[in-house]
Coordinates of all heavy atoms in Angstrom, one line a residue:
M1 N -0.3 22.5 1.4 CA 0.7 21.8 0.6 C 0.6 22.2 -0.9 O -0.6 22.2 -1.4 CB 0.7 20.3 0.8 CG 1.7 19.6 0.1 SD 1.7 17.9 0.7 CE 2.0 17.0 -0.8
F2 N 1.7 22.5 -1.5 CA 1.6 22.8 -2.9 C 1.6 21.5 -3.7 O 2.3 20.6 -3.4 CB 2.8 23.7 -3.3 CG 2.8 25.0 -2.6 CD1 3.6 25.2 -1.5 CD2 1.9 26.0 -3.1 CE1 3.6 26.5 -0.9 CE2 1.9 27.2 -2.4 CZ 2.7 27.5 -1.3
R3 N 0.8 21.5 -4.7 CA 0.7 20.4 -5.7 C 0.9 20.9 -7.1 O 0.6 22.1 -7.4 CB -0.7 19.8 -5.6 CG -0.9 19.1 -4.3 CD -2.3 18.3 -4.3 NE -2.2 17.3 -3.3 CZ -2.0 16.0 -3.6 NH1 -1.8 15.6 -4.8 NH2 -1.9 15.1 -2.6
P4 N 1.4 20.1 -8.0 CA 1.5 20.5 -9.3 C 0.2 20.8 -10.0 O -0.9 20.3 -9.5 CB 2.2 19.3 -10.0 CG 2.4 18.3 -9.0 CD 1.8 18.7 -7.7
R5 N 0.2 21.7 -11.0 CA -1.0 22.0 -11.6 C -1.7 20.7 -12.2 O -0.9 19.8 -12.6 CB -0.8 23.0 -12.8 CG -0.3 24.3 -12.4 CD -0.2 25.3 -13.5 NE -0.3 24.7 -14.8 CZ 0.5 24.9 -15.8 NH1 1.5 25.7 -15.7 NH2 0.4 24.3 -17.0
P6 N -3.0 20.6 -12.2 CA -3.6 19.4 -12.7 C -3.2 19.0 -14.1 O -3.0 17.8 -14.4 CB -5.1 19.7 -12.6 CG -5.2 20.7 -11.6 CD -3.9 21.5 -11.7
D7 N -3.0 20.0 -15.0 CA -2.6 19.6 -16.3 C -1.1 19.2 -16.4 O -0.7 18.6 -17.4 CB -2.8 20.8 -17.3 CG -2.1 22.1 -16.9 OD1 -1.8 22.2 -15.7 OD2 -1.8 22.9 -17.8
A8 N -0.3 19.4 -15.4 CA 1.1 18.9 -15.3 C 1.2 17.6 -14.7 O 2.3 17.0 -14.6 CB 1.9 20.0 -14.6
M9 N 0.1 17.1 -14.1 CA 0.2 15.8 -13.4 C 0.0 14.6 -14.4 O -0.8 14.8 -15.3 CB -0.9 15.7 -12.3 CG -0.6 16.8 -11.2 SD -2.0 16.9 -10.0 CE -1.8 15.3 -9.2
P10 N 0.6 13.5 -14.1 CA 0.3 12.4 -15.0 C -1.1 11.9 -14.8 O -1.7 12.1 -13.8 CB 1.3 11.3 -14.5 CG 1.6 11.7 -13.1 CD 1.5 13.2 -13.0
A11 N -1.6 11.3 -15.9 CA -3.0 10.8 -15.8 C -3.2 9.7 -14.8 O -4.1 9.6 -14.1 CB -3.5 10.4 -17.2
T12 N -2.2 8.8 -14.8 CA -2.1 7.7 -13.8 C -0.7 7.4 -13.4 O 0.2 7.9 -14.0 CB -2.7 6.4 -14.5 OG1 -1.9 6.0 -15.6 CG2 -4.1 6.5 -14.9
V13 N -0.6 6.8 -12.2 CA 0.7 6.4 -11.7 C 0.8 4.9 -11.7 O 0.0 4.2 -11.1 CB 0.8 6.9 -10.2 CG1 2.1 6.5 -9.6 CG2 0.6 8.4 -10.2
P14 N 1.9 4.4 -12.4 CA 2.0 2.9 -12.4 C 2.8 2.4 -11.2 O 3.8 2.9 -10.8 CB 2.9 2.7 -13.7 CG 3.7 4.0 -13.8 CD 2.9 5.1 -13.2
V15 N 2.1 1.4 -10.5 CA 2.8 0.8 -9.3 C 2.7 -0.7 -9.6 O 1.9 -1.2 -10.4 CB 2.1 1.2 -8.0 CG1 2.2 2.7 -7.7 CG2 0.6 0.8 -8.0
I16 N 3.5 -1.5 -8.8 CA 3.5 -2.9 -8.9 C 3.0 -3.5 -7.6 O 3.6 -3.3 -6.6 CB 4.9 -3.4 -9.3 CG1 5.3 -2.8 -10.6 CG2 4.9 -5.0 -9.3 CD1 6.7 -3.0 -11.0
V17 N 1.9 -4.2 -7.7 CA 1.3 -4.9 -6.5 C 1.4 -6.3 -6.7 O 0.8 -6.9 -7.6 CB -0.2 -4.4 -6.3 CG1 -0.8 -5.1 -5.1 CG2 -0.3 -2.9 -6.2
E18 N 2.2 -7.0 -5.8 CA 2.4 -8.4 -5.9 C 2.7 -8.9 -7.3 O 2.2 -9.9 -7.8 CB 1.1 -9.2 -5.4 CG 0.8 -9.0 -3.9 CD 1.7 -9.8 -3.0 OE1 2.4 -10.6 -3.4 OE2 1.6 -9.6 -1.8
G19 N 3.6 -8.1 -7.9 CA 4.0 -8.4 -9.3 C 3.1 -8.0 -10.4 O 3.5 -8.1 -11.6
R20 N 1.9 -7.4 -10.1 CA 1.0 -7.0 -11.1 C 1.1 -5.5 -11.3 O 1.2 -4.7 -10.3 CB -0.5 -7.2 -10.6 CG -0.8 -8.6 -10.5 CD -2.3 -8.7 -10.1 NE -2.7 -10.0 -9.6 CZ -3.8 -10.3 -9.0 NH1 -4.7 -9.3 -8.9 NH2 -4.0 -11.4 -8.5
L21 N 1.2 -5.1 -12.5 CA 1.2 -3.6 -12.8 C -0.2 -3.1 -12.7 O -1.1 -3.6 -13.3 CB 1.8 -3.4 -14.3 CG 1.8 -2.0 -14.7 CD1 2.8 -1.2 -13.8 CD2 2.2 -1.9 -16.2
V22 N -0.3 -2.0 -11.9 CA -1.6 -1.4 -11.7 C -1.4 0.1 -11.9 O -0.4 0.7 -11.5 CB -2.1 -1.6 -10.3 CG1 -3.4 -1.0 -10.0 CG2 -2.2 -3.1 -10.0
H23 N -2.4 0.7 -12.5 CA -2.3 2.2 -12.7 C -3.4 2.8 -11.8 O -4.6 2.4 -11.8 CB -2.6 2.6 -14.2 CG -1.6 2.1 -15.1 ND1 -0.5 2.9 -15.4 CD2 -1.4 1.0 -15.8 CE1 0.3 2.2 -16.2 NE2 -0.2 1.0 -16.5
V24 N -2.9 3.8 -11.0 CA -3.9 4.4 -10.0 C -3.8 5.9 -10.3 O -2.9 6.5 -10.8 CB -3.5 4.1 -8.6 CG1 -3.6 2.6 -8.3 CG2 -2.1 4.6 -8.3
P25 N -4.9 6.6 -9.9 CA -4.9 8.1 -10.1 C -3.8 8.8 -9.2 O -3.4 8.3 -8.1 CB -6.3 8.5 -9.6 CG -7.1 7.3 -9.5 CD -6.1 6.1 -9.3
P26 N -3.2 9.9 -9.7 CA -2.2 10.6 -8.8 C -2.9 11.0 -7.5 O -4.0 11.3 -7.4 CB -2.0 11.9 -9.7 CG -2.4 11.5 -11.1 CD -3.5 10.5 -10.9
G27 N -2.1 10.8 -6.5 CA -2.5 11.1 -5.1 C -3.2 9.9 -4.4 O -3.4 10.0 -3.2
A28 N -3.4 8.8 -5.1 CA -3.9 7.6 -4.5 C -3.0 7.0 -3.5 O -1.7 7.1 -3.7 CB -4.3 6.6 -5.5
S29 N -3.5 6.3 -2.5 CA -2.6 5.7 -1.5 C -2.1 4.3 -2.0 O -2.8 3.8 -2.9 CB -3.3 5.6 -0.2 OG -4.4 4.7 -0.3
A30 N -1.1 3.8 -1.4 CA -0.7 2.4 -1.7 C -1.8 1.5 -1.3 O -1.9 0.4 -2.0 CB 0.6 2.1 -0.9
A31 N -2.5 1.7 -0.3 CA -3.7 0.8 0.1 C -4.7 0.8 -1.0 O -5.2 -0.3 -1.4 CB -4.3 1.3 1.4
A32 N -5.0 2.0 -1.6 CA -5.9 2.0 -2.7 C -5.4 1.2 -3.9 O -6.2 0.6 -4.7 CB -6.2 3.5 -3.1
A33 N -4.1 1.3 -4.1 CA -3.5 0.5 -5.2 C -3.7 -1.0 -5.0 O -4.0 -1.7 -6.0 CB -2.0 0.9 -5.4
V34 N -3.5 -1.4 -3.8 CA -3.8 -2.9 -3.5 C -5.2 -3.3 -3.8 O -5.5 -4.3 -4.5 CB -3.4 -3.2 -2.1 CG1 -3.8 -4.6 -1.7 CG2 -1.9 -3.0 -1.9
L35 N -6.1 -2.4 -3.4 CA -7.5 -2.7 -3.7 C -7.8 -2.6 -5.2 O -8.6 -3.4 -5.7 CB -8.4 -1.7 -2.9 CG -8.3 -1.8 -1.4 CD1 -9.2 -0.7 -0.8 CD2 -8.8 -3.2 -0.9
A36 N -7.2 -1.6 -5.9 CA -7.4 -1.5 -7.3 C -6.8 -2.7 -8.1 O -7.3 -3.1 -9.2 CB -6.7 -0.2 -7.8
A37 N -5.8 -3.4 -7.5 CA -5.2 -4.6 -8.1 C -6.1 -5.8 -7.9 O -5.8 -6.8 -8.5 CB -3.9 -4.9 -7.5
G38 N -7.2 -5.6 -7.2 CA -8.2 -6.7 -7.0 C -8.0 -7.6 -5.8 O -8.7 -8.6 -5.6
F39 N -7.1 -7.2 -4.9 CA -7.0 -8.0 -3.7 C -8.0 -7.5 -2.7 O -8.2 -6.4 -2.5 CB -5.5 -7.8 -3.1 CG -4.5 -8.4 -4.0 CD1 -3.7 -7.6 -4.8 CD2 -4.2 -9.8 -3.9 CE1 -2.7 -8.2 -5.6 CE2 -3.3 -10.3 -4.7 CZ -2.5 -9.5 -5.6
R40 N -8.6 -8.5 -2.0 CA -9.7 -8.2 -1.1 C -9.0 -7.9 0.3 O -9.6 -7.3 1.2 CB -10.7 -9.2 -1.0 CG -11.4 -9.4 -2.3 CD -12.4 -10.5 -2.4 NE -13.6 -10.0 -1.7 CZ -14.6 -10.7 -1.4 NH1 -14.6 -12.0 -1.7 NH2 -15.7 -10.2 -0.9
G41 N -7.9 -8.5 0.6 CA -7.2 -8.4 1.8 C -5.8 -7.8 1.6 O -5.3 -8.0 0.5
I42 N -5.3 -7.1 2.6 CA -3.9 -6.6 2.4 C -3.0 -7.2 3.4 O -1.8 -7.2 3.1 CB -4.0 -5.1 2.6 CG1 -2.7 -4.4 2.0 CG2 -4.2 -4.7 4.0 CD1 -2.8 -2.9 1.8
R43 N -3.5 -7.8 4.4 CA -2.6 -8.5 5.3 C -3.3 -9.6 6.0 O -4.5 -9.7 6.0 CB -2.0 -7.5 6.4 CG -3.0 -7.1 7.5 CD -2.3 -6.2 8.5 NE -3.2 -5.9 9.6 CZ -3.1 -6.5 10.8 NH1 -2.2 -7.4 11.0 NH2 -3.9 -6.1 11.7
E44 N -2.5 -10.5 6.7 CA -3.1 -11.5 7.5 C -2.5 -11.4 8.9 O -1.2 -11.2 9.0 CB -2.8 -12.9 6.9 CG -3.6 -13.2 5.6 CD -3.2 -14.5 5.0 OE1 -2.6 -15.4 5.6 OE2 -3.7 -14.8 3.9
T45 N -3.3 -11.6 9.9 CA -2.7 -11.5 11.2 C -1.7 -12.5 11.6 O -1.8 -13.7 11.1 CB -3.9 -11.5 12.3 OG1 -4.6 -12.7 12.2 CG2 -4.9 -10.4 12.0
P46 N -0.7 -12.2 12.4 CA 0.3 -13.2 12.7 C -0.2 -14.4 13.5 O 0.3 -15.5 13.4 CB 1.3 -12.4 13.6 CG 1.0 -11.0 13.3 CD -0.4 -10.9 12.9
V47 N -1.2 -14.2 14.4 CA -1.6 -15.3 15.3 C -2.6 -16.2 14.6 O -2.4 -17.4 14.5 CB -2.2 -14.7 16.6 CG1 -2.7 -15.8 17.5 CG2 -1.1 -13.9 17.3
S48 N -3.7 -15.7 14.1 CA -4.8 -16.5 13.6 C -4.8 -16.6 12.1 O -5.5 -17.5 11.5 CB -6.2 -16.0 14.1 OG -6.5 -14.7 13.4
G49 N -4.1 -15.7 11.4 CA -4.0 -15.7 10.0 C -5.3 -15.2 9.4 O -5.5 -15.3 8.1
S50 N -6.1 -14.5 10.1 CA -7.3 -13.9 9.5 C -6.9 -12.7 8.6 O -6.0 -12.0 8.9 CB -8.3 -13.4 10.6 OG -7.7 -12.4 11.4
K51 N -7.7 -12.6 7.6 CA -7.5 -11.6 6.6 C -8.0 -10.2 7.1 O -9.0 -10.1 7.7 CB -8.2 -11.9 5.3 CG -7.6 -13.2 4.6 CD -8.3 -13.4 3.3 CE -7.9 -14.6 2.6 NZ -6.5 -14.9 2.5
R52 N -7.2 -9.2 6.7 CA -7.6 -7.8 7.1 C -7.5 -7.0 5.8 O -6.7 -7.2 4.9 CB -6.6 -7.2 8.1 CG -6.7 -7.9 9.4 CD -7.9 -7.5 10.1 NE -8.0 -7.9 11.5 CZ -8.7 -8.9 12.0 NH1 -9.4 -9.6 11.1 NH2 -8.7 -9.2 13.3
A53 N -8.4 -6.0 5.7 CA -8.4 -5.1 4.6 C -8.3 -3.6 5.2 O -8.7 -3.4 6.3 CB -9.6 -5.3 3.8
P54 N -7.9 -2.7 4.4 CA -7.9 -1.3 4.8 C -9.3 -0.9 5.3 O -10.3 -1.2 4.6 CB -7.5 -0.5 3.6 CG -6.7 -1.5 2.7 CD -7.4 -2.8 3.0
Y55 N -9.4 -0.3 6.5 CA -10.7 0.0 7.0 C -10.9 1.5 7.2 O -11.8 2.1 6.7 CB -10.8 -0.7 8.4 CG -12.1 -0.4 9.1 CD1 -13.3 -0.9 8.6 CD2 -12.2 0.3 10.2 CE1 -14.5 -0.7 9.2 CE2 -13.4 0.5 10.9 CZ -14.5 0.0 10.4 OH -15.7 0.2 11.0
C56 N -10.0 2.2 7.9 CA -10.2 3.6 8.2 C -9.7 4.5 7.1 O -10.2 5.6 6.9 CB -9.6 4.0 9.5 SG -7.8 4.0 9.6
M57 N -8.6 4.1 6.4 CA -7.9 4.9 5.4 C -7.4 6.2 5.9 O -7.3 7.2 5.2 CB -8.8 5.1 4.2 CG -9.2 3.8 3.5 SD -7.8 2.9 2.8 CE -7.6 3.6 1.2
M58 N -7.2 6.3 7.2 CA -6.6 7.5 7.8 C -5.6 7.3 8.9 O -5.4 8.2 9.7 CB -7.8 8.5 8.2 CG -8.6 7.9 9.3 SD -9.9 9.1 9.7 CE -10.6 8.3 11.1
G59 N -5.0 6.1 8.9 CA -3.9 5.9 9.8 C -4.3 5.6 11.2 O -3.4 5.7 12.1
V60 N -5.4 5.1 11.5 CA -5.9 4.7 12.8 C -5.9 3.2 13.1 O -5.4 2.8 14.1 CB -7.3 5.3 13.1 CG1 -7.8 4.9 14.5 CG2 -7.2 6.8 13.0
C61 N -6.4 2.4 12.2 CA -6.7 1.0 12.5 C -5.5 0.1 12.3 O -5.5 -1.0 12.8 CB -7.9 0.6 11.7 SG -7.5 0.3 10.0
F62 N -4.6 0.4 11.5 CA -3.4 -0.4 11.2 C -3.8 -1.8 10.5 O -3.0 -2.7 10.5 CB -2.6 -0.8 12.5 CG -1.8 0.4 13.0 CD1 -2.4 1.5 13.7 CD2 -0.4 0.5 12.8 CE1 -1.7 2.5 14.1 CE2 0.3 1.5 13.2 CZ -0.3 2.6 13.9
D63 N -4.9 -1.8 9.9 CA -5.3 -3.0 9.1 C -4.8 -3.0 7.7 O -5.1 -3.8 6.9 CB -6.8 -3.1 9.2 CG -7.3 -3.9 10.4 OD1 -6.5 -4.6 11.0 OD2 -8.5 -3.8 10.7
C64 N -4.0 -2.0 7.4 CA -3.5 -1.8 6.0 C -2.0 -2.1 5.9 O -1.4 -1.7 5.0 CB -3.8 -0.5 5.5 SG -3.0 0.8 6.5
L65 N -1.4 -2.7 7.0 CA 0.1 -2.9 6.9 C 0.5 -3.7 5.7 O -0.1 -4.7 5.4 CB 0.5 -3.6 8.2 CG 0.3 -2.9 9.5 CD1 0.8 -3.7 10.7 CD2 0.9 -1.5 9.5
A66 N 1.5 -3.2 5.1 CA 2.1 -3.8 3.9 C 3.5 -3.6 3.8 O 4.1 -2.8 4.5 CB 1.3 -3.2 2.6
E67 N 4.1 -4.3 2.8 CA 5.6 -4.1 2.5 C 5.6 -3.2 1.3 O 5.1 -3.5 0.3 CB 6.3 -5.4 2.3 CG 7.7 -5.3 1.9 CD 8.3 -6.6 1.6 OE1 8.2 -7.6 2.4 OE2 9.0 -6.7 0.5
I68 N 6.3 -2.0 1.5 CA 6.4 -1.1 0.5 C 7.8 -0.8 0.2 O 8.6 -0.4 1.0 CB 5.6 0.3 0.8 CG1 4.2 0.0 1.1 CG2 5.8 1.3 -0.3 CD1 3.4 1.2 1.6
D69 N 8.2 -1.1 -1.1 CA 9.6 -0.9 -1.5 C 10.5 -1.6 -0.6 O 11.6 -1.1 -0.2 CB 10.0 0.5 -1.7 CG 9.3 1.1 -2.9 OD1 8.9 0.4 -3.9 OD2 9.1 2.4 -2.9
G70 N 10.2 -2.8 -0.1 CA 11.0 -3.6 0.7 C 10.9 -3.4 2.2 O 11.6 -4.0 3.0
V71 N 10.2 -2.4 2.6 CA 10.1 -2.1 4.0 C 8.7 -2.6 4.6 O 7.7 -2.1 4.2 CB 10.2 -0.5 4.2 CG1 10.0 -0.2 5.7 CG2 11.5 0.0 3.7
P72 N 8.8 -3.6 5.5 CA 7.5 -4.2 6.0 C 6.9 -3.3 7.1 O 7.5 -2.4 7.6 CB 8.0 -5.5 6.5 CG 9.4 -5.3 6.9 CD 10.0 -4.3 6.0
G73 N 5.6 -3.6 7.3 CA 4.9 -2.9 8.4 C 4.6 -1.5 8.2 O 4.4 -0.7 9.2
R74 N 4.4 -1.1 6.9 CA 4.1 0.3 6.7 C 2.5 0.5 6.6 O 1.9 -0.4 6.0 CB 4.7 0.8 5.4 CG 6.2 0.7 5.5 CD 7.1 1.6 4.8 NE 6.6 3.0 4.8 CZ 6.9 3.9 3.9 NH1 7.6 3.5 2.8 NH2 6.4 5.1 3.9
Q75 N 2.1 1.6 7.1 CA 0.6 1.9 6.9 C 0.4 2.3 5.5 O 0.6 3.5 5.2 CB 0.2 2.9 7.9 CG 0.1 2.4 9.3 CD -0.3 3.6 10.3 OE1 0.5 4.4 10.6 NE2 -1.5 3.6 10.6
S76 N -0.1 1.4 4.7 CA -0.2 1.7 3.2 C -1.2 2.8 2.9 O -1.1 3.5 1.9 CB -0.5 0.5 2.5 OG -1.7 -0.1 2.9
C77 N -2.2 3.1 3.9 CA -3.1 4.1 3.6 C -2.5 5.5 3.7 O -3.1 6.5 3.3 CB -4.4 4.0 4.5 SG -4.1 4.4 6.2
M78 N -1.4 5.6 4.4 CA -0.7 6.8 4.7 C 0.4 7.1 3.7 O 1.1 8.1 3.8 CB -0.2 6.9 6.1 CG -1.3 6.7 7.1 SD -2.7 7.9 7.1 CE -1.9 9.4 7.6
V79 N 0.6 6.2 2.7 CA 1.7 6.4 1.8 C 1.2 6.6 0.4 O 0.3 5.8 -0.1 CB 2.6 5.1 1.8 CG1 3.7 5.2 0.7 CG2 3.1 4.8 3.1
E80 N 1.6 7.7 -0.2 CA 1.1 8.1 -1.5 C 1.8 7.2 -2.6 O 3.0 7.0 -2.5 CB 1.3 9.5 -1.9 CG 0.7 10.0 -3.2 CD 0.8 11.5 -3.4 OE1 0.7 12.2 -2.4 OE2 1.1 11.9 -4.5
A81 N 1.0 6.6 -3.5 CA 1.6 5.7 -4.5 C 2.5 6.6 -5.4 O 2.2 7.7 -5.8 CB 0.5 5.1 -5.3
Q82 N 3.7 6.1 -5.6 CA 4.7 6.7 -6.5 C 5.0 5.8 -7.7 O 4.9 4.6 -7.6 CB 6.0 7.0 -5.8 CG 5.8 7.8 -4.5 CD 5.5 9.2 -4.8 OE1 5.9 9.8 -5.8 NE2 4.7 9.8 -3.9
A83 N 5.3 6.4 -8.8 CA 5.6 5.6 -10.0 C 6.7 4.6 -9.7 O 7.8 4.9 -9.1 CB 6.0 6.5 -11.1
G84 N 6.5 3.3 -10.0 CA 7.5 2.3 -9.9 C 7.5 1.7 -8.5 O 8.2 0.8 -8.2
M85 N 6.6 2.2 -7.6 CA 6.6 1.6 -6.2 C 6.2 0.1 -6.2 O 5.4 -0.3 -7.0 CB 5.5 2.4 -5.4 CG 5.3 2.0 -4.0 SD 4.1 3.0 -3.1 CE 5.1 4.3 -2.6
R86 N 6.8 -0.6 -5.4 CA 6.5 -2.1 -5.3 C 5.9 -2.3 -3.9 O 6.4 -2.0 -2.9 CB 7.8 -2.9 -5.4 CG 8.4 -2.8 -6.8 CD 9.7 -3.7 -6.9 NE 10.2 -3.6 -8.2 CZ 9.7 -4.4 -9.3 NH1 8.8 -5.2 -9.0 NH2 10.2 -4.2 -10.5
I87 N 4.7 -2.9 -4.0 CA 3.8 -3.1 -2.8 C 3.6 -4.6 -2.7 O 3.2 -5.2 -3.7 CB 2.5 -2.3 -2.9 CG1 2.8 -0.9 -3.2 CG2 1.7 -2.5 -1.6 CD1 1.6 -0.1 -3.7
R88 N 3.8 -5.1 -1.5 CA 3.4 -6.5 -1.3 C 2.6 -6.6 0.0 O 2.8 -5.8 0.9 CB 4.7 -7.3 -1.1 CG 5.6 -7.4 -2.3 CD 6.8 -8.3 -2.1 NE 6.4 -9.6 -1.7 CZ 7.1 -10.5 -1.0 NH1 8.3 -10.1 -0.6 NH2 6.7 -11.7 -0.7
R89 N 1.6 -7.5 -0.1 CA 0.7 -7.7 1.1 C 1.6 -8.3 2.2 O 2.6 -8.9 2.0 CB -0.4 -8.6 0.8 CG -1.4 -8.0 -0.2 CD -2.4 -9.0 -0.7 NE -1.8 -10.1 -1.3 CZ -2.2 -11.4 -1.3 NH1 -3.3 -11.6 -0.7 NH2 -1.6 -12.4 -1.9
Q90 N 1.2 -8.0 3.4 CA 2.0 -8.5 4.6 C 1.2 -9.7 5.2 O 0.1 -9.6 5.7 CB 2.1 -7.4 5.7 CG 3.1 -7.8 6.8 CD 3.7 -6.7 7.5 OE1 4.1 -5.7 6.9 NE2 3.6 -6.7 8.8
I91 N 1.9 -10.9 5.0 CA 1.3 -12.1 5.5 C 2.0 -12.5 6.8 O 3.2 -12.8 6.7 CB 1.4 -13.2 4.4 CG1 0.9 -12.7 3.1 CG2 0.7 -14.5 4.9 CD1 -0.6 -12.3 3.1
G92 N 1.3 -12.5 7.9 CA 1.9 -12.9 9.1 C 2.7 -11.7 9.7 O 2.5 -10.6 9.3
A93 N 3.6 -12.1 10.6 CA 4.4 -11.1 11.3 C 5.5 -10.6 10.3 O 6.0 -11.3 9.5 CB 5.0 -11.6 12.6
R94 N 5.9 -9.4 10.5 CA 6.9 -8.8 9.7 C 8.3 -9.4 10.3 O 8.4 -9.8 11.4 CB 7.0 -7.3 9.8 CG 7.2 -6.8 11.2 CD 7.5 -5.3 11.2 NE 8.9 -5.1 10.8 CZ 9.5 -4.0 10.9 NH1 8.9 -2.9 11.3 NH2 10.7 -3.9 10.5
S95 N 9.2 -9.5 9.4 CA 10.5 -10.0 9.8 C 11.2 -9.0 10.7 O 11.0 -7.7 10.6 CB 11.4 -10.1 8.5 OG 12.7 -10.4 8.9
I96 N 12.0 -9.5 11.7 CA 12.7 -8.6 12.5 C 14.1 -8.3 12.0 O 14.9 -7.6 12.5 CB 12.8 -9.1 14.0 CG1 13.4 -10.5 14.0 CG2 11.5 -9.1 14.6 CD1 13.8 -10.9 15.4
D97 N 14.4 -9.0 10.9 CA 15.7 -8.8 10.2 C 15.6 -7.5 9.4 O 14.7 -7.3 8.6 CB 15.9 -10.0 9.2 CG 17.3 -9.9 8.5 OD1 18.0 -8.9 8.7 OD2 17.6 -10.9 7.8
P98 N 16.5 -6.6 9.7 CA 16.4 -5.3 9.1 C 16.7 -5.3 7.6 O 16.4 -4.4 6.9 CB 17.5 -4.4 9.8 CG 18.5 -5.4 10.3 CD 17.7 -6.7 10.6
T99 N 17.3 -6.4 7.1 CA 17.5 -6.5 5.6 C 16.3 -7.1 5.0 O 15.8 -8.1 5.5 CB 18.8 -7.3 5.3 OG1 18.6 -8.6 5.9 CG2 20.0 -6.6 5.9
P100 N 15.9 -6.6 3.9 CA 14.6 -7.1 3.3 C 14.8 -8.5 2.7 O 15.8 -9.0 2.5 CB 14.3 -6.2 2.1 CG 15.3 -5.1 2.1 CD 16.4 -5.4 3.2
Ligands
FES1 S1 -6.6 1.7 6.8 FE1 -6.6 2.1 8.9 S2 -4.5 2.6 9.4 FE2 -4.5 2.3 7.2

């Protein structure tokens, strides 16, 4: 995959995690942005409410589900942080209502 030259890339990418502005390195995942924002957990299970945090960081464990730009249930470790992206932790089950 082609990437911009390093000198043409921004030094950091601003994202909003639970309303907090966080700057992450280019290429960082949304899951990394949540951790950089200081949250220890990224979701809570629907049944017991136990906290989960990103574990594998490669799309296997699904412990990183989050709401990204209004879309719930996304594997945040597989989504590259983009400038202005809004990330929210997923607490409980995602809504089945297709409108955010
Ligand atoms: S951290 Fe395991 S799927 Fe995202």
Side-chain angles (χ1 to χ4, degrees):
M1 181 170 143
F2 295 103
R3 294 188 156 255
R5 293 185 351 226
D7 59 332
M9 296 174 68
T12 59
V13 176
V15 298
I16 299 168
V17 179
E18 295 283 351
R20 296 184 197 169
L21 179 62
V22 180
H23 293 271
V24 296
S29 67
V34 172
L35 296 173
F39 293 101
R40 299 179 79 188
I42 196 166
R43 74 178 185 103
E44 292 180 6
T45 60
V47 176
S48 68
S50 64
K51 294 187 185 309
R52 294 286 190 256
Y55 180 67
C56 70
M57 297 299 273
M58 60 182 190
V60 176
C61 72
F62 287 74
D63 274 340
C64 63
L65 297 180
E67 181 183 307
I68 299 175
D69 288 335
V71 180
R74 300 213 40 208
Q75 286 178 283
S76 59
C77 71
M78 303 302 291
V79 177
E80 185 173 324
Q82 302 291 327
M85 178 180 274
R86 292 183 178 275
I87 306 165
R88 294 182 59 206
R89 295 174 298 150
Q90 188 159 312
I91 308 300
R94 62 171 281 188
S95 169
I96 57 172
D97 183 355
T99 57

